[in-house]
Amino acid sequence: MWEVISTYKSVQKSMKRLKTYYPQLDELKVRAALSYYECYPEEIEKKIAENETWTPGTLKAHYPFTPATEK
């Protein structure tokens, strides 16, 4: 769910552009994600912030068998 909201924010809250990233989601599912975010913004913002801290190094530290490369 946080992925949809993160993308929605990155496309300046454009439903049309969001649909290009998630063609598999119908409008009802997208609206459900947006409604959930409206009710629980702190939870979603926390997940988005956590995701933004990941680097190839942290990925490799958490999942050593993942073929991540550090730059």
Side-chain angles (χ1 to χ4, degrees), residues 22-59:
Y22 295 97
Q24 73 276 20
L25 299 180
D26 61 29
E27 187 171 342
L28 184 61
K29 290 177 181 155
V30 171
R31 296 223 177 263
L34 295 173
S35 293
Y36 188 91
Y37 176 63
E38 191 174 306
C39 292
Y40 305 101
E42 297 87 10
E43 175 187 338
I44 300 301
E45 291 296 336
K46 181 180 175 188
K47 291 285 188 188
I48 291 170
E50 286 173 2
N51 182 65
E52 290 173 351
T53 66
W54 284 82
T55 64
T58 56
L59 181 64

